Amino acid sequence: MKNLYITITTCLLLTLFSANCSTEDDYLPAYTRELRFEEETDTANEIAFLHLSDIHASTASLAPAVYYLTGSDSNFALLTGDIMIADNVINTLKSSPKPCLLIPGNHDIYRVYARSVGQWAFRKTILNAIGQESYAHFADEAHNYWYSDFTQGGHTLRVIGIDQYEAQSVAHPIDSWDHIQNLYSQGQVNWFIDLLEHSADADGIIIAIHNGFGNDKVGVRDTTRTGPFTSILASTTTEGYGYYGTGNTLMIPDIVEAYITGNNLTERKYPNSTVACDTLTVTTHFTRPANNFIAYFGGHLHYDIAEPLPGYPRQLQILITECGKTGHTQGLDDAPKGKFGNPSYCFNLNTVNFIRRQLCIKRIGACHKIDGTLRDSIIFNY
């Protein structure tokens, strides 16, 4: 990153973001943390972006990420759900001179959670409030799904934002714990297929999601899988990737697989929810195989997983741990913020190299794992 040396200190961050941070976010690291990048970015062949998820109305990780985004060569930041509306979050996002792209999560939509706003209000109170429509192409003026293209050195990275919580679009209840599901409208499905049909010329495609595609019933995760960016505690749970529901769990991966292979789907039916007669129909018309899909980026689990989706070896899922309140962690996070010498924030720096066809992920912030090893960096080929 142009021999970039960034020193993040409490004093500097609080000076930059004091107008945006509430009392609960005054937990920024009480020591100097040097972020050192000795490699120069190959600006002719690379695009870099930051990934955060599940900030839960906190700027504990968001403020350092925006500061880093501002001072680095990174092109944009991607926040994959569970934003939860708060003035400090909106103000911090608006302070960024580079795009911050958001999608909703379950905490943003279902009203059983504090600070949720519902599907329709998420667009108005969060996405429109930060001006996302100025650098993302939405399907219309109401919905939350979009795409955005970033071009550098003659290479284009297409970023697609999926809304996995279209409960109100399909008249599904949003006021009960029992009703929480991942839901899509037929309109979004048709939009997604049409967008992929016009994406073959992009040099790379990434898809923003909140929930990974799989749970303990469908798309079941192999708990023996390990890796530098997969929590060493993930083998102790059967929840897989945390997807809500079973009928439409693998619909998006099936569409992407048809896009990758050129083996089209014809009138494939997917039950969308427990609502009677709510079924999605998928037909694709991809004219040739495509080799530009890179990965899904999401969160929800509150611990790290980076691995291909079972049964879909070319579909990589990058699910980042919670990037919210300092010191707060789920039991399966093996590199908790503010513990084991970790700073009290985390986000991932992702660099796509279009010539080598590689995705490099580097952890910024909390990287010391409970077994004494580091969650430092990893490279995937695509």
Side-chain angles (χ1 to χ4, degrees), residues 7 25 33 46 59 107 142 152 175 179 185 199 204 239 241 271 281 309 326 340 345 352 380:
T7 300
D25 292 310
R33 166 74 170 171
E46 292 182 345
T59 58
H107 279 265
Q152 185 162 281
D175 296 306
H179 291 140
S185 66
S199 296
E239 73 172 318
Y241 306 105
T281 302
L309 178 64
T326 300
F340 307 107
Y345 60 90
V352 177
F380 293 98

Side-chain angles (χ1 to χ4, degrees), residues 161-174:
I162 294 294
D163 184 353
Q164 294 177 306
Y165 291 97
E166 285 200 280
Q168 290 170 283
S169 289
V170 298
H172 187 81
I174 62 172

Side-chain angles (χ1 to χ4, degrees), residues 12 19 53 59 62 64 71 86 88 117 145 161 186 195 213 221-222 231-232 262 268 299 308 325 367:
L12 178 55
S53 193
T59 58
L62 179 62
N88 57 333
V117 294
Y145 46 92
Q186 186 68 53
L195 181 61
F213 297 109
R221 180 178 181 270
D222 179 359
S231 171
I232 61 177
R268 180 75 65 86
K325 189 182 300 182
C367 59

Side-chain angles (χ1 to χ4, degrees), residues 139-162:
D140 54 38
E141 295 182 355
H143 289 88
N144 300 316
Y145 46 92
W146 47 264
Y147 78 93
S148 186
D149 291 337
F150 293 87
T151 300
Q152 185 162 281
H155 300 283
T156 297
L157 177 67
R158 172 157 289 181
V159 186
I160 302 175
I162 294 294

Side-chain angles (χ1 to χ4, degrees), residues 64 78 81 94 210 291 360 371:
L78 185 63
K94 290 171 68 174
H210 183 61
N291 65 353
C360 177
D371 64 351

Side-chain angles (χ1 to χ4, degrees), residues 57-75:
S58 168
T59 58
S61 293
L62 179 62
V66 169
Y67 173 60
Y68 182 92
L69 180 65
T70 302
S72 73
D73 288 338
S74 298
N75 298 77

Side-chain angles (χ1 to χ4, degrees), residues 272-333:
N272 197 32
S273 71
T274 56
V275 177
C277 302
D278 183 11
T279 300
L280 300 167
T281 302
V282 172
T283 297
T284 62
H285 301 282
F286 302 122
T287 58
R288 64 183 187 274
N291 65 353
N292 58 357
F293 176 75
I294 299 172
Y296 302 104
F297 289 82
H300 182 66
L301 292 175
H302 295 192
Y303 54 91
D304 289 289
I305 285 183
E307 61 195 26
L309 178 64
Y312 303 81
R314 294 176 62 183
Q315 297 192 39
L316 177 66
Q317 294 195 128
I318 309 297
L319 308 178
I320 191 174
T321 188
E322 180 195 21
C323 302
K325 189 182 300 182
T326 300
H328 177 69
T329 181
Q330 293 287 96
L332 300 182
D333 184 1

Side-chain angles (χ1 to χ4, degrees), residues 17 21 69 123 200 217 232 236 244 247 252 300:
F17 296 104
C21 297
L69 180 65
R123 174 69 181 273
K217 296 180 178 64
I232 61 177
T236 66
Y244 292 126
I252 296 296
H300 182 66

